[in-house]
Amino acid sequence: METEYHEGHRANFASADLTGRDFSGLNLGGIKMDRAVLRGADFTGANLQSANLIGDTAGGALRPADLSGARLSGANLVSASLENACLAKADMEFALMAKVVLRGACLREADMSGAQLDAAELTGADLRKANLRGAGFRSARLDRADLCDARLGSAFLVGASLRSADLRGAYLRLAKLDGADLSDADLDGVEGLTQDQLNRAHCNSGTKLPVGLTGVEDAKR
């Protein structure tokens, strides 16, 4: 990677069983680990920038790693711990991420379209400009998350908590907001949002809504 492929060969662990292996502190930028089994592997302090992890079964293995620009499409990250991880511009289309912990993680401009994040923990996460079209966030926690300019068209936010979330400029056409908690959330300038969607969500006096839409009588506008 350092010589732009002029020297050596790209590491290839595709389909390998790497259960319990120690990769801590290693520079694994651009590594191929497609469909690898990574349960119990240690990636503490590892660099996985632009790594290929498509279809992997990772469990909690990737928690401390730098995964910016990584390819994780279809990966099984159910219940994984990725708190404060860097996943900026990562490709996570259709990844299985139910109950994943992404508290404080950087997911800016990540592609998570169609990903399944039901009951996930994303409190304080940076999802600015992320592609979340059709993603499932049922009962997920997105309190204080930065969702500015995020694409949430047809996303499932049923029962999700978005207290104090920043949704300015987000796209919400056909997003399911049934039972979603928008208390103190900022929805100024959102696109595609209808009154019917808001009627199914919970707002409070601190919810900032676009002009022409109302949540509760005293919602700020």
Side-chain angles (χ1 to χ4, degrees):
M1 296 298 291
E2 293 176 356
T3 62
E4 298 183 354
Y5 303 102
H6 293 300
E7 297 179 16
H9 299 281
R10 184 179 185 180
N12 188 347
F13 290 98
S15 301
D17 185 349
L18 302 172
T19 301
R21 296 298 181 95
D22 184 5
F23 295 98
S24 58
L26 297 182
N27 181 6
L28 303 172
I31 196 169
K32 295 185 69 175
M33 288 185 169
D34 308 68
R35 299 173 301 282
V37 179
L38 304 174
R39 291 191 185 94
D42 185 359
F43 288 91
T44 303
N47 173 18
L48 284 159
Q49 291 184 29
S50 302
N52 280 13
L53 299 156
I54 296 172
D56 279 353
T57 299
L62 302 174
R63 178 179 44 159
D66 181 352
L67 290 153
S68 53
R71 300 181 64 194
L72 289 151
S73 297
N76 184 348
L77 299 170
V78 173
S79 299
S81 179
L82 291 159
E83 185 169 2
N84 297 318
C86 181
L87 288 147
K89 297 185 178 181
D91 184 352
M92 293 180 280
E93 289 181 291
F94 303 104
L96 302 176
M97 304 173 75
K99 299 182 180 180
V100 69
V101 177
L102 286 160
R103 189 184 299 107
C106 178
L107 296 148
R108 186 171 293 210
E109 297 184 54
D111 187 352
M112 301 167 73
S113 54
Q116 206 269 72
L117 293 116
D118 293 352
E121 170 60 72
L122 292 124
T123 298
D126 182 355
L127 291 147
R128 183 179 288 256
K129 295 185 178 180
N131 180 5
L132 307 169
R133 290 181 297 182
F137 290 96
R138 300 168 187 84
S139 301
R141 297 194 66 86
L142 291 141
D143 301 333
R144 301 186 306 282
D146 183 351
L147 289 152
C148 285
D149 300 314
R151 285 172 282 171
L152 285 154
S154 299
F156 293 87
L157 291 153
V158 177
S161 180
L162 293 133
R163 298 175 67 88
S164 300
D166 191 347
L167 288 142
R168 290 174 296 168
Y171 183 74
L172 289 163
R173 185 173 183 271
L174 299 180
K176 302 295 184 183
L177 297 171
D178 304 48
D181 188 350
L182 297 170
S183 298
D184 300 314
D186 190 345
L187 288 89
D188 187 33
V190 298
E191 299 180 33
L193 184 66
T194 66
Q195 187 61 55
D196 182 61
Q197 285 171 291
L198 275 177
N199 290 344
R200 299 170 183 271
H202 172 71
C203 301
N204 71 348
S205 60
T207 307
K208 297 180 182 179
L209 300 173
V211 174
L213 298 178
T214 58
V216 291
E217 281 188 40
D218 55 350
K220 294 180 181 178
R221 295 163 57 186

